[in-house]
Structure formats: C-alpha cells, structure tokens
Amino acid sequence: TSSVISVKNDSILKLNFENVYKLYQKQDYIIALTNLLELLEKSKELESNYWIYKCNFLLGEIYRKTNKFEKSLLFYKQSLAIVTLPVVEKSNSRFSDLDYVKTLFKVGISYHSVNISIDMTNKLSKYDSIKLAVKKKSYIDSALLTYKKIEQLPELNPQIENLKGAAYNNISNIYEEDSVFTQAEYYAKKAINIHKKNNDHLKTATSLNILANISLSQKKYQKAKALYSEAIDLIKNNNNSNAIRTKADLYYNLAWAMRNLEEFEAYDFQEKSFEIEEDIRDKEFKGIIEEISAKYDVDVAKRNVRQEEENKRLKTQRTYSIFGIILLLVIIILGYWLVINNLQQKNLALNLSKTKLIQDQNIEKLKSESQVRVLNATIDGKESERKQIAETLHDSVSALLSSANLHLQATRKQFNGATPVEIDKTQEIILEASHKIRDLSHTLISSVLLKFGLTFAIKEIAEKFSNSELNIETEINNVERYHQSFEIKVYNIVQEFVNNILKHSKAGNALIELEQKQDKLFIIISDDGIGFDKTKITSKDGLGLNQIDARIQMMKGKFKIDSSKNNGTQILVELPVLEKEEPSLV
C-alpha cells in the first residue's frame, strides 16, 4: 500500500513540476517562482529528494536569468547537496553523472557571476573597498575551485565533455583577468581540444576567441589576429543566431587587433561585411617602419644637441635661425599627423560599436514584426473560420432542418386517423436541433453584430454580462455601420476586455464608451476594480493583453492602459475607421 501511495505522490509532483516548467519556458517568472516555492515545500513534506533537487535547480535557473546571482547560488548549492548524497539516500538511479556535473557547473557559474556583478565603482571608504575586494576574491576562488572539481571528473559522454570544455573556458577567463597568461592559454587549449574532438565548430570558435583575447591582452596582436581568422573560418557558413553573434564578436575583436597593428583597412573590412583579405602587410614591413622611426628619433636628438651648442656659440648666425624654424615646422606637421591618426583610431572603434548595435536592433525588430504577423494571421484565421461556421450553420443547416420539418408537417396531413407518435417526436427533435444550431451560431459570432452593427452588439454585451455584482453601462455616440471584418475585430477586442474585467478586476461598475470622431473610432473601457501592476505583465494565455496590443498595431491603431493597484483600470483604444463597402449599382 505504501509503495502505491509513493508512486501516486510522485506522479502528482511530476505533473505539478511540468506545469511550473511550462511557465518558466514562457518566461512567466513571477508565477513560476510562486508555484515552485510551494512545490518545493510539498516535496520536502513527502521527503522526495528527486523533486527537491529538481525544484532547487529550477529556482537557481530563474534567479540566474533575472540577474539575482546570490540567490541562484543558494539554490544551486542546495540542489548540489541533494545530488551528491550517498546512493542509498538519493534513491539509486534517479540521478545521473550528468546531473551532478551540470549542477556543479551551475554553482561555478553562479560564483563567477556574483563576482562580476559586484560594483567596485561606488565611492567607498578605504575600509569598505578592502572588504569588497576580499569578497570578490573569495567568490572568484570558489568559482575556480568548483571548475577544478569538474576538471578532475572522467569524460563519460559528449555532454559531460562539453560541460568540461565550458568549465575550461571559464577557468581561462579567470586566469586572464589575473594576468596569469600561461595558465589561461593552457585551459583555453584544453577546451579547444574537447570541442574539436566532438566536431563542434561553434564551441571551438568560441574557445579560439578566448585564446585570441589572451594574446590580445599580452599585446601579441599578430597571433591574436591569426586565431580570430581561424575561428571565423570555422563558422563562416553557420547562420544560426548564436553563430551570428559569435561572428560579430570575432569580427569586432579582429578589427581591434588589426587597429593595434596599424592596419587601418579594418574599417573597410567592417563595411564590406568583414570580408578580410589574406594578403596583408607582414612583420617585416612593421620592422621597417620601427627602424625608420628609431633612426628619425636619433637624428632629431643629434640635431637638437648640435643646435644647442651652435646657439651658445653663434646666436647671431642666420643659418641656425632658419634651421630652428624648419625644425619647428617638422614638429608641427608630425604633431598634426599624430592627432589625425588618433582620431582615425577613435572613429574606427566608434563605427565598429555603432554597426554592431544597429545589427542587434535590426535583428530584434525583425523578430518582433514576425511575431506580430504570425499572431494576427492566427487571430484572423480564427475569426474567419468562426464566421464561416456560423454562416453555414445559420444559412444551410437551419434551412435543411426547417425543410425537414415542413415535409413532416405535410406527411402528418396524409393520415386520416391519429398521427404516429414517431412523427411528433421527430418534429420535437428537429425543433430542439434548430434552437441549438441558432444558439451555437450566435456563440460563434454575434448575429446582432452582423444584422444591426456595433451599437446594438456592444449594448448586448453589457446587458448579457451585467449581474448583481457587476453593472456594465454603455455610452455610444456617432457610431455607424462599418466594414464587417472591422466590426468583428472591434467586437472581439471589447468582448475580451470585458472578459478580463469579469475574471480579474473584482469591480462593481464598468463603463464601455464608443465614439467616432472624424475618421477615428475611440474606445474607452473603465472599471472601479482592484487594478494591477503593469510592470509585472509578461505573457497571457489565449487572446491576452499582449496579443490584443499586436492586433491593434496591425489595425494601425493605438493602445494604452492606465492602471495601478486598488485604483481601477482604464483602457483607451484609437482605431482608424474601415468604412463599409458601398454596393455597386448597374
């Protein structure tokens, strides 16, 4: 009996966790967090170590994605404590080696992230600054120790190998920040070997980028340039989002290395989508430039010494005066050249940053526009399908039922005596079916809307949803008949807002206002309910606020919500009117 109860409890915990995980995937972190904390307490009551581990791990993920790294570290460490229990305590096979390595890696990332997030730029006293520095050192040492534990584990499968590679990348970054370049290079190369073994070009390119950054920090610009070029060649034909972002970083870093090599073609390569040419000036050319510069500096020094000596002996000689003027002109020209050169370098860095920002903005804009189009296509399809089904039910099915009823009525007259009971029952069934078809047709799309327009349809909504707890009033001015698709869209938007009032507002009174001014239709829906915090809205099920906003955008309208807790809600919608098509008369 106890085993049956245990299996039942495990199934319930599993179902609840799956529901929370769906909220997490939708980035609805506030609701997911609340439900997950409740599920964690329930798992502790049932002493289910597996689901305690799963809840703690997911809590760590949520806090990490919301940049609360110290809280994420707390929950990752709690999940690590569960997964490292002896085999007998952790229910044998429910935990895998991958669970342990993955959790250990998340703990290391959290230590690392907390260290990065500590702000050292605040104006602190000397004592506080020392305390903060010690705290940062403690976190970075803990991160390094955690990553080193992963290093000591055997490579049991490609997934664990990939996690080890990621840990090596992070170790390399830590050593680079401390200028321990030998160790930094060692771990970056270990990561590269793992990713090359698994034939993962993108991760190999990422590790090559880290190795090149180490060379850049050591001012080994030529070596850094070669590594950046190798990484770009690996992923030049890979066009997924992660590869595009990695390529952008690689191109930016490559341009920076070339700038330090005084190869000002870097900006041209950026403008031409980083199509870098292979035939560039080598170290020999740079050596010639350095040799000329050194010789020039020596000559200038000698001239200065001679000039000082000659000025002491022959201050009145005209020749040395002319020489001094010429030297001054050379210095001015050289200074001008240095200023121009410095401006070119600053412009290069600025243009690279600006181009990267524009690319990121364009990608986000395309994603947003695509989502809006897909959403509106889905809603349009639903509205069209509902209208088609309603018309079919009303025009075809209802007509067939009426025809069947007339035929039965005619049949009834052919009997001289009593009519068979089957005919009476059949007519009753047909009548009931007709009523249900009419009700279903009206549910799919309002017949009042189709026949009489928005004014009567909105009043019908107010009358239908008003009750003893909620009174809905309407104020409709100057509203005419419009294009049918426009009326359906407006009706659905108003109906959804009214549904939200019924579900969430706890209001006693609501008002729906419609008014046409010139070529704009203005909709104002207000209630005296509990209101809500707009900043905490992330996503809604079904036709939610975000989806209504997308629909209004596609109708080229404007949408605004004015609400706060315990102060009611007012919704303002402005839509350009889509006029009813006039019939063409012959």
Side-chain angles (χ1 to χ4, degrees):
T1 305
S2 62
S3 63
V4 172
I5 294 172
S6 177
V7 170
K8 182 179 179 181
N9 288 337
D10 190 77
S11 299
I12 293 171
L13 293 174
K14 179 181 178 183
L15 180 62
N16 290 339
F17 184 83
E18 287 173 351
N19 291 334
V20 173
Y21 193 76
K22 288 176 183 177
L23 293 170
Y24 164 77
Q25 288 179 314
K26 294 177 181 177
Q27 299 181 0
D28 199 347
Y29 295 136
I30 295 174
I31 300 176
L33 192 63
T34 304
N35 294 346
L36 196 55
L37 289 169
E38 292 178 359
L39 183 58
L40 177 59
E41 292 303 315
K42 191 171 183 180
S43 301
K44 288 179 180 177
E45 289 175 9
L46 298 174
E47 299 180 351
S48 175
N49 279 338
Y50 179 74
W51 293 110
I52 293 172
Y53 162 77
K54 297 286 281 186
C55 289
N56 277 311
F57 189 88
L58 190 55
L59 283 165
E61 292 285 270
I62 291 172
Y63 280 118
R64 183 175 65 85
K65 291 200 174 182
T66 53
N67 297 326
K68 293 179 174 60
F69 299 115
E70 292 194 79
K71 276 189 171 289
S72 72
L73 176 60
L74 172 67
F75 286 103
Y76 283 137
K77 288 171 73 174
Q78 289 179 5
S79 63
L80 183 64
I82 296 293
V83 82
T84 52
L85 287 172
V87 173
V88 175
E89 294 183 38
K90 67 179 183 181
S91 306
N92 298 325
S93 61
R94 296 206 73 170
F95 296 101
S96 66
D97 293 320
L98 181 61
D99 289 328
Y100 172 69
V101 179
K102 183 170 63 175
T103 309
L104 195 60
F105 181 70
K106 294 292 186 179
V107 170
I109 286 180
S110 296
Y111 276 125
H112 205 164
S113 300
V114 171
N115 168 70
I116 293 170
S117 68
I118 293 175
D119 186 11
M120 293 289 289
T121 62
N122 292 330
K123 294 182 179 178
L124 301 173
S125 66
K126 183 177 179 182
Y127 176 72
D128 289 335
S129 296
I130 293 171
K131 284 177 61 179
L132 198 58
V134 170
K135 186 177 181 182
K136 281 173 65 68
K137 184 67 167 61
S138 171
Y139 278 119
I140 205 65
D141 288 345
S142 298
L144 197 56
L145 181 63
T146 306
Y147 293 141
K148 290 292 183 70
K149 287 182 181 179
I150 297 175
E151 180 184 13
Q152 296 166 7
L153 298 172
E155 297 174 356
L156 301 175
N157 57 55
Q159 289 175 300
I160 292 179
E161 284 186 2
N162 281 332
L163 285 172
K164 292 187 77 170
Y168 293 153
N169 283 338
N170 292 346
I171 293 173
S172 179
N173 283 328
I174 291 172
Y175 280 129
E176 185 199 358
E177 289 174 6
D178 290 341
S179 299
V180 186
F181 297 122
T182 303
Q183 287 291 88
E185 286 185 0
Y186 171 75
Y187 282 102
K189 288 176 180 177
K190 287 189 73 171
I192 290 169
N193 290 336
I194 286 176
H195 297 318
K196 282 186 175 179
K197 175 184 173 184
N198 292 330
N199 200 28
D200 192 326
H201 293 326
L202 180 55
K203 289 181 179 176
T204 303
T206 301
S207 298
L208 282 169
N209 188 28
I210 293 171
L211 185 60
N213 289 341
I214 296 167
S215 296
L216 203 63
S217 297
Q218 299 176 84
K219 298 183 179 180
K220 297 177 181 179
Y221 302 124
Q222 200 71 36
K223 183 178 179 181
K225 175 188 167 183
L227 290 168
Y228 290 134
S229 298
E230 181 183 348
I232 289 168
D233 287 340
L234 279 175
I235 58 173
K236 63 184 178 182
N237 295 323
N238 189 342
N239 289 318
N240 69 40
S241 59
N242 289 332
I244 289 171
R245 195 170 293 277
T246 301
K247 279 190 280 189
D249 291 338
L250 285 166
Y251 282 132
Y252 183 86
N253 293 340
L254 175 61
W256 188 260
M258 292 178 69
R259 168 191 165 184
N260 283 281
L261 288 169
E262 297 184 358
E263 296 173 359
F264 297 112
E265 296 90 341
Y267 178 68
D268 295 332
F269 296 153
Q270 172 74 12
E271 292 299 313
K272 295 177 182 177
S273 303
F274 306 102
E275 294 176 355
I276 302 174
E277 300 176 358
E278 295 294 334
D279 300 325
I280 60 173
R281 290 174 294 179
D282 54 15
K283 293 181 181 178
E284 196 173 313
F285 179 79
K286 182 184 175 185
I288 294 170
I289 295 297
E290 292 174 349
E291 184 179 346
I292 292 171
S293 298
K295 184 177 179 182
Y296 178 80
D297 291 339
V298 171
D299 290 341
V300 170
K302 288 180 179 179
R303 287 194 201 105
N304 287 335
V305 172
R306 287 198 300 267
Q307 184 178 354
E308 288 177 0
E309 293 175 350
E310 292 297 325
N311 285 337
K312 289 177 182 178
R313 294 195 308 265
L314 304 168
K315 292 182 179 180
T316 60
Q317 290 187 8
R318 185 179 179 84
T319 305
Y320 287 99
S321 298
I322 296 173
F323 179 78
I325 293 171
I326 293 173
L327 183 61
L328 181 62
L329 289 174
V330 170
I331 293 172
I332 292 172
I333 293 170
L334 182 61
Y336 178 76
W337 181 84
L338 287 173
V339 170
I340 295 298
N341 182 43
N342 188 42
L343 287 174
Q344 286 179 335
Q345 292 181 10
K346 289 182 178 179
N347 286 336
L348 170 62
L350 182 62
N351 280 303
L352 288 173
S353 300
K354 183 178 178 182
T355 303
K356 184 175 183 296
L357 178 62
I358 291 171
Q359 288 175 345
D360 290 344
Q361 289 175 343
N362 288 338
I363 290 172
E364 290 300 321
K365 183 179 179 182
L366 287 172
K367 286 171 62 179
S368 177
E369 289 177 351
S370 298
Q371 290 171 353
V372 169
R373 290 194 185 97
V374 169
L375 172 64
N376 279 279
T378 303
I379 298 172
D380 284 339
K382 287 182 179 179
E383 289 177 350
S384 177
E385 184 179 12
R386 288 162 67 97
K387 182 173 179 290
Q388 186 176 0
I389 293 171
E391 289 175 346
T392 302
L393 290 174
H394 184 271
D395 297 338
S396 299
V397 179
S398 292
L400 290 171
L401 289 173
S402 297
S403 177
N405 188 48
L406 289 173
H407 285 302
L408 284 173
Q409 191 67 30
T411 303
R412 181 192 295 274
K413 294 178 181 179
Q414 294 180 6
F415 289 94
N416 294 326
T419 305
V421 68
E422 286 80 3
I423 290 180
D424 293 333
K425 288 184 176 181
T426 301
Q427 283 190 300
E428 290 175 3
I429 292 169
I430 289 173
L431 184 60
E432 183 180 354
S434 296
H435 288 307
K436 288 187 175 182
I437 290 291
R438 185 187 63 193
D439 293 342
L440 178 58
S441 174
H442 187 73
T443 300
L444 290 170
I445 186 165
S446 171
S447 60
V448 174
L449 175 68
L450 296 179
K451 291 180 180 178
F452 304 109
L454 278 172
T455 299
F456 293 95
I458 299 303
K459 288 181 179 180
E460 183 195 35
I461 288 177
E463 183 179 349
K464 181 169 65 175
F465 289 115
S466 292
N467 52 47
S468 60
E469 295 181 356
L470 174 64
N471 179 48
I472 303 176
E473 299 290 340
T474 62
E475 289 185 12
I476 302 173
N477 298 311
N478 198 30
V479 174
E480 306 170 355
R481 291 305 305 266
Y482 307 112
H483 194 283
Q484 190 176 86
S485 64
F486 177 78
E487 291 186 335
I488 292 172
K489 288 180 176 66
V490 173
Y491 179 84
N492 287 340
I493 289 170
V494 173
Q495 188 177 49
E496 185 58 32
F497 283 135
V498 173
N499 284 336
N500 286 341
I501 292 173
L502 290 169
K503 291 178 184 176
H504 309 296
S505 73
K506 297 182 181 179
N509 298 282
L511 176 63
I512 304 172
E513 300 177 64
L514 267 73
E515 183 175 6
Q516 180 181 338
K517 295 179 181 178
Q518 296 180 350
D519 58 348
K520 298 287 180 66
L521 181 64
F522 293 87
I523 305 169
I524 302 175
I525 302 175
S526 53
D527 66 70
D528 59 359
I530 60 175
F532 58 91
D533 187 349
K534 295 184 290 183
T535 61
K536 294 184 179 180
I537 297 175
T538 55
S539 63
K540 300 287 181 183
D541 294 332
L543 188 62
L545 292 179
N546 293 334
Q547 295 176 329
I548 293 176
D549 189 17
R551 162 46 57 93
I552 292 170
Q553 287 183 38
M554 290 300 292
M555 295 173 73
K556 299 180 180 179
K558 298 178 182 177
F559 173 38
K560 179 184 176 184
I561 297 178
D562 184 11
S563 182
S564 60
K565 283 208 167 184
N566 302 317
N567 288 318
T569 301
Q570 185 178 64
I571 295 165
L572 300 94
V573 179
E574 178 185 333
L575 297 171
V577 169
L578 184 60
E579 296 289 350
K580 181 178 180 181
E581 294 180 357
E582 295 295 335
S584 57
L585 301 176
V586 180

